[in-house]
Amino acid sequence: MFTNSFMQRREFLTTTAASLCAIRPAFCETMKQRGGRMASRLRITSIEPHTICIPYHPVNHDYLFKYHGIKLQLRTIYIVKTNQPGLEGYGDAWGPAMDESNLEKYIGTNPFEWLADTKLIGINMAIYDLVAKCLDLPVWKLIGAKVRNKVPVSAWTCSRPPRMMAEEVTHAAKQGYTWLKYHVDEVQNVIAQAEAMDRVAPEGFKVHYDFNANQDFETVAPVVKELERFAVSGRIEDPIVADDPDGWVKIRDMTDLPILGHHAPTSFVAGGQVDGIMSGHAPVRQAAKLDAIAEQAGIPIMLQNAGGTMNQSFLVHQACVFKTATIDHVNLARMWVDDISNEQMPVTNGYVELPRGPGLGMTLNRGKLAKYEHAPRRTYEPFIVVIKYADGPTIYVRHNPDLPNSTDNMRFLGRLIKGEIPGPKPAYDNDVKAEFWQEPNSSEWQQIWNRTVSGYVVKAGT
């Protein structure tokens, strides 16, 4: 279990953050002086967004696409160009390109001015890569003193039926991972999933369960206790709603599984609610604040920066500096079958090594960039989610994750069916399983599809 020591005084949260903010302008000026005349005259001339679509692995490509849609398969590579020929920085961000109006403020400015920026992790990454190259330094030297040369990392996936979760564990282990993270959802039984994963997991392999911070103590507590009996169970993230700090303390006291906070207030670090805390998709300055806070409290942090190999390099440069960054960090670098960097950063026994060379230590394969920028993109095709309770109803409902605000609808039954919920109260340990049904040439499928046009269809259980 993570360390249980905490400071009970909370004043350090604001003083630590304030001190970090105060030193950053002076730091940036020092770096400009070190770079000499070129650094002082350096200007950003353009930012090129390249949205790429790389296939997932065969083991889960269809399920991931149906569960989360095309947006989560896409990544955008940002190339920040300067008035110095050949000097450019690379950023790698999950999802489609942002509106170019968000990029206008950077044009014509000195990139050194943006090291302390707290917006847009893809651009923050490219700025650090660019500035470090200008100074002929690795990115980590712009962040602090190195404390490690390799960092632990975790695979990631979505919630799937138990037999498929077993396939996910086997797949992740073959890639070199020793951890797998996923969000539990209300249309699968997490105990059945854990049992299936436990049967195939190599010795020492662990699963990180993200409980979405959406249910109460009474609902979640027995589920957490039941997960303890599986050797594969490693930790719990966001077990219950964040507005019940006492419930978090009770969860933490009742289980030997470490409790990790993500969608939780920073005060939980000092309040005894968590064994560790996550920095999610954060630029360097924000992650550095959390590292300082966690160091004062004596607990570890985890970084979660979703993207490809370049994105993983950025994560490793930070985690090799942040003293508390010892929890297996989540990055999606091996979720796709290929990438646009010439370097691969293999996962070995759950760790990736710090890249060498200036900047991120990554070079861009422009042939692959062009290939995947113009690759065909899969589009939504009608399918039905079949949610079957063992001793209750079967629910048929449509799910289009590409509709606005629908990417994560599969996690929550209320979002998915959008109406009065039939059957048992939504929970993570109901005797339920969901499958995707796609047989447009079947008359039975077509009949159900037509009936679900205005909402879900329920068939009584036997």
Side-chain angles (χ1 to χ4, degrees):
M1 175 173 281
F2 304 148
T3 178
N4 288 328
S5 62
F6 284 90
M7 291 182 63
Q8 296 305 313
R9 292 172 290 111
R10 303 187 183 184
E11 289 82 358
F12 78 93
L13 297 177
T14 52
T15 56
T16 303
S19 63
L20 279 167
C21 298
I23 65 170
R24 189 59 67 174
F27 169 80
C28 297
E29 187 60 34
T30 301
M31 290 296 100
K32 287 175 67 176
Q33 293 173 3
R34 175 171 177 162
R37 182 174 297 177
M38 184 179 78
S40 64
R41 295 181 178 178
L42 194 61
R43 295 293 182 271
I44 297 171
T45 55
S46 66
I47 300 178
E48 295 179 0
H50 299 266
T51 301
I52 58 175
C53 185
I54 303 177
Y56 293 134
H57 291 276
V59 68
N60 56 19
H61 72 100
D62 188 62
Y63 209 93
L64 276 171
F65 178 78
K66 286 184 169 68
Y67 196 101
H68 281 304
I70 190 63
K71 289 182 181 179
L72 267 68
Q73 186 174 351
L74 301 177
R75 298 192 347 250
T76 300
I77 308 302
Y78 295 96
I79 303 178
V80 178
K81 297 194 171 185
T82 71
N83 56 350
Q84 297 296 324
L87 180 59
E88 57 188 26
Y90 306 130
D92 177 356
W94 201 12
M98 68 186 78
D99 190 291
E100 293 196 21
S101 62
N102 293 310
L103 308 178
E104 294 173 355
K105 65 180 180 180
Y106 299 99
I107 307 304
T109 66
N110 189 310
F112 284 82
E113 299 171 13
W114 298 103
L115 288 175
D117 194 17
T118 59
K119 308 291 184 183
L120 310 179
I121 186 173
I123 303 302
N124 188 242
M125 185 187 315
I127 294 293
Y128 267 85
D129 184 40
L130 172 60
V131 168
K133 286 174 180 175
C134 174
L135 302 173
D136 196 25
L137 295 172
V139 161
W140 66 262
K141 286 196 173 183
L142 304 184
I143 302 172
K146 184 172 62 171
V147 296
R148 57 185 68 91
N149 290 309
K150 61 180 182 179
V151 302
V153 291
S154 170
W156 181 90
T157 191
C158 67
S159 176
R160 304 172 70 196
R163 72 180 188 282
M164 295 183 181
M165 293 307 299
E167 293 174 353
E168 292 282 0
V169 167
T170 300
H171 175 64
K174 286 181 178 178
Q175 290 184 311
Y177 290 104
T178 58
W179 278 86
L180 172 67
K181 174 187 167 175
Y182 76 105
H183 286 259
V184 300
D185 64 31
E186 295 173 348
V187 296
Q188 304 290 348
N189 182 299
V190 68
I191 307 303
Q193 291 174 321
E195 188 172 28
M197 292 186 287
D198 196 66
R199 283 197 297 266
V200 301
E203 184 177 358
F205 191 98
K206 298 293 183 181
V207 173
H208 173 143
Y209 307 96
D210 187 337
F211 274 70
N212 308 302
N214 78 306
Q215 293 200 8
D216 57 34
F217 173 83
E218 288 72 20
T219 302
V220 170
V223 184
V224 172
K225 287 301 293 182
E226 185 72 5
L227 287 174
E228 284 184 342
R229 66 186 178 89
F230 299 105
V232 77
S233 295
R235 57 176 161 257
I236 305 293
E237 178 184 339
D238 287 347
I240 62 174
V241 290
D243 59 2
D244 181 14
D246 292 338
W248 281 66
V249 172
K250 288 192 290 184
I251 287 274
R252 185 167 178 248
D253 288 344
M254 60 165 271
T255 182
D256 290 331
L257 296 176
I259 301 300
L260 187 68
H262 179 198
H263 298 289
T266 312
S267 60
F268 278 22
V269 173
Q273 282 82 11
V274 295
D275 298 295
I277 197 157
M278 177 194 294
S279 171
H281 318 288
V284 171
R285 181 180 171 187
Q286 288 177 282
K289 288 180 184 179
L290 193 61
D291 173 55
I293 292 167
E295 185 177 358
Q296 290 281 349
I299 67 170
I301 69 168
M302 166 187 175
L303 304 181
Q304 181 171 268
N305 296 345
T309 306
M310 285 187 175
N311 188 293
Q312 179 167 263
S313 174
F314 190 52
L315 182 153
V316 174
H317 276 275
Q318 295 176 76
C320 80
V321 169
F322 300 151
K323 292 180 180 179
T324 67
T326 58
I327 308 176
D328 308 78
H329 311 287
V330 172
N331 182 270
L332 312 184
R334 307 195 72 78
M335 195 166 77
W336 297 273
V337 297
D338 199 5
D339 213 333
I340 48 73
S341 60
N342 292 310
E343 298 75 17
Q344 296 185 352
M345 293 187 69
V347 182
T348 305
N349 296 324
Y351 283 79
V352 289
E353 294 187 356
L354 178 67
R356 298 180 179 180
L360 292 171
M362 297 279 110
T363 55
L364 182 63
N365 187 315
R366 295 184 183 274
K368 288 187 176 182
L369 181 69
K371 172 184 176 180
Y372 292 120
E373 185 172 16
H374 299 101
R377 299 179 186 180
R378 187 175 175 181
T379 56
Y380 169 80
E381 296 175 351
F383 67 94
I384 298 170
V385 183
V386 183
I387 307 165
K388 184 175 179 58
Y389 289 90
D391 298 313
T394 297
I395 305 169
Y396 300 86
V397 64
R398 299 184 182 188
H399 171 52
N400 183 350
D402 293 333
L403 294 176
N405 303 313
S406 298
T407 300
D408 294 332
N409 280 4
M410 282 289 297
R411 293 179 189 167
F412 311 103
L413 199 53
R415 289 190 198 174
L416 185 61
I417 69 172
K418 299 179 177 63
E420 184 177 350
I421 298 174
K425 174 186 174 182
Y428 297 127
D429 60 345
N430 283 328
D431 196 350
V432 62
K433 182 163 53 178
E435 302 271 7
F436 296 140
W437 183 25
Q438 189 174 34
E439 292 184 280
N441 295 326
S442 159
S443 58
E444 181 186 8
W445 184 94
Q446 194 64 55
Q447 182 185 38
I448 296 293
W449 175 258
N450 291 337
R451 290 178 61 192
T452 58
V453 66
S454 58
Y456 62 88
V457 171
V458 179
K459 288 186 177 181
T462 57

